[in-house]
Structures are given as structure tokens and as C-alpha cells.
Amino acid sequence: MRVKDVLRRRIQIAKPVLGKKELEAVRKVFESGRLVQGEKVKLFEEKFAEYIGVQHAVAVANGTVALDVALKTIGLGFGDEVVTSAFSFIASSNCVLYQGAKPVFADIDRRTFNVDPLDVTEKITAKTKAIIPVHLFGQPADMDGLNEIAKDEGIAVVEDAAQSHGAEYKGRKTGSLGDVGCFSFYATKNMTTCEGGMITTNDSELAKSARLLRDHGQTEKYRHIVLGYNYRMTETSAAVGLVQLRKLDGLNRRRNENSSLLTEGIEKIAGLTPPHTNHDVRHVFYQYVIKVEEDYPIERNKLAEHLMEEGIDVAVHYPTPIYKQPLYKELGYEKTTCPTAEETCKRVLSLPVHPSVTEEDIRYILDVLGKVQ
Ligand SMILES: Cc1ncc(COP(=O)(O)O)c(C=O)c1O
């Protein structure tokens, strides 16, 4: 270890904020003896639905299966198409493959990194059954534009809200803006249950179907009416989730304070572009993603290496559009192109923004970024 690493702690890219309250909640579950899908899960669902502003929330094992179940509940099947963003985590489109359906990739807006409704329109065909907008890095997608397309086409909108707990679009929370919303409570997210997920909706039939699918298609013990799965949430996860939900607004406030300080400094550094926030949203900065432009003294990957050497953990979300992943090449997506997503993948760099990043950390990050020659 280098001397400066001993003198200065590393600044991590993500750090869950878990404390005594979560520990106490887990201890109580252990003592109760009921470990899976009991009272805590029920209460977490109620509180989460209330927070998001929807009638139903269905807790599941993680965000990937939330998407899987959501697509099953809208009846997606073999031969159908779903338009989604080329620039996201792979689960946003793999969930379509799970149904035997085909993901069709739309390009993104160069400033927000969210899917561009104009390109979505271009990608709609007679086979399109749904759109999956991703509220990427904590900023809501252009939901008015996307909902209008969906309404015109008579297709569903499944929000991938895995990165946007508490984010708002025109005063309404993500997860309440489409037909169904899907959340992840993975360890790095704005709130965590270690692993976990939630499906949100105002449609009671859809919620009923999601509840069946997550638990072996059972209407009562050992009476199975559809092909279901074991996608249940544990009581310990729900107990942690209840505490985290109470903390969420405060944690998001800290992310916003950190992002404001970062942006103030980054605006003054030539060659770096801070994230753009639309005027009609509340961004929750799951990630703080800058662009390293051509006129910055060194290129993105060199800058990432340099920051890591200086004790600042950074990440590239995401290094390649989904359709360029080996799996998708194998599936025949060689000819797909989304030029803005491709260019964005070369430039983006995520800096630490989580609630435990201090003002002093930010001054240090800006100092290192400003001194690069
Ligand atoms: C955009 C997006 N969608 C879906 C998921 C899947 O969530 P999980 O990791 O809980 O399965 C993630 C998680 O990392 C994500 O970032």
C-alpha cells in the first residue's frame, strides 16, 4: 500500500448506509422464527406502495425477477417485441429474452442518457407489445413522450425503476408513471435490502398475477393454478427495507448535495461535462456520471486509472451498448446501431456521489480532476 493511501482513506464508488436499526430489525426477525414472506414483507409492500403513490406493491427476490414477472403479467410471449434502451444494465433487456420475445434497442438522448422517444417511435412495429424505459442513474425518462406513444399504439409501459427510488417526474414518483414499475434493492442502490425487488402498479389484476407468479402459482397451500416460480422476498430483507425506506429521502438529499458540489467544480474544468438534469424532474443520483470530452488532457480510461491510483474509485456505466455484448452478438444483433449510445459509452465516467462521500472527499476529487495535464 502506498503512503498516500494510508494517509487518506479510499473513496469508494458505492457504500450501503446500514446501521443499528437495520441490525435490530434483522435480530427481531430471527427471534420471530418466520423468515420468508410474512408480516414484514406485507408491511414493506404497503409502505412502499404508499411512498411511490400506487395501489399495489409486490415484493420479490431481486430487480431482475421483478422485470421478469412484470413482463409475464402483461402477457408478453414468443414472437413479441419490446423496445428498450440500448444504454442500460443488461437486465433491462434480458427480461425480454426470458419471455421468448425480442428486445429492440432504441438510442438515447445525448444529455440525459435516457431513451429518446423519437427513436422509440422509429423502432415500433406491428409486433411491439411494450416499451421498457429505464430511469437511468436516477433521472426519470421522458415519460410524457413515451406514454403518448404507448397510448397511440395500444401497448404497455413497464418502467425499469431499478436506479430511481424516490425520483420524480412532474411531481409523480417513478414506478407510478407507466402500467407497472420494477425496483431493485441491490446492495449499491439508493436503498437496499441486500438483494430484493418490488413490482408497483395501480392495476389489481396485474398485482394479483404477480403475487401468484412469485410463489409457485399458488392460490392457497399446494393448490397451483399457473406455472409460477420461487421469487419470494425474505423477512430479513423486508425488515431492512422498512428501515431503509424511512431513510430514503434523507439519503437522496445527501446524494443531491454531493452532486451539486461536484457539478459546481466540474463546470469549471475544461473538457469535463457534468450530468444534465431536466427541469421537470427530481433526480436522485444513483450514479453521478460525467462525460470526458475530447478536449480533456487525457482520455476516459486513462483518467479512470489515474483516479483509482489517487484513491478515488470510479466506474464506467456502461462500457458498451447492450446489443454489443457477446450474448447479443450471438443472438444476431451485429447490425444494430445506436450512434449516441455508442459515443456515450466511450465518454462516461461515474464518480462517487453516495451519502457517505464528504465535502472534503469532493474537494479532493475536484482537485485531482483539475490538476490533470
Ligand atoms: C437498470 C437496472 N435494471 C435492472 C436491474 C436488476 O436488478 P437486480 O440486480 O436487483 O436483479 C438493475 C440492477 O442492478 C439495474 O441497474
Side-chain angles (χ1 to χ4, degrees), residues 75-92:
L76 200 74
F78 192 79
D80 294 339
E81 292 180 2
V82 175
V83 182
T84 188
S85 176
F87 185 61
S88 181
F89 181 61
I90 199 154
S92 308

Side-chain angles (χ1 to χ4, degrees), residues 69-78 80 99 129 209:
V69 167
L71 293 184
K72 286 180 165 71
T73 61
I74 62 162
L76 200 74
F78 192 79
D80 294 339
Q99 321 306 320
K129 290 282 153 52
S209 164

Side-chain angles (χ1 to χ4, degrees), residues 62-64 67 88-89 91-92 134 160 162-163 184 186 189 196:
N62 56 62
T64 305
L67 285 163
S88 181
F89 181 61
S92 308
V134 185
D160 183 340
Q163 304 187 354
S184 160
Y186 177 64
K189 301 298 194 234

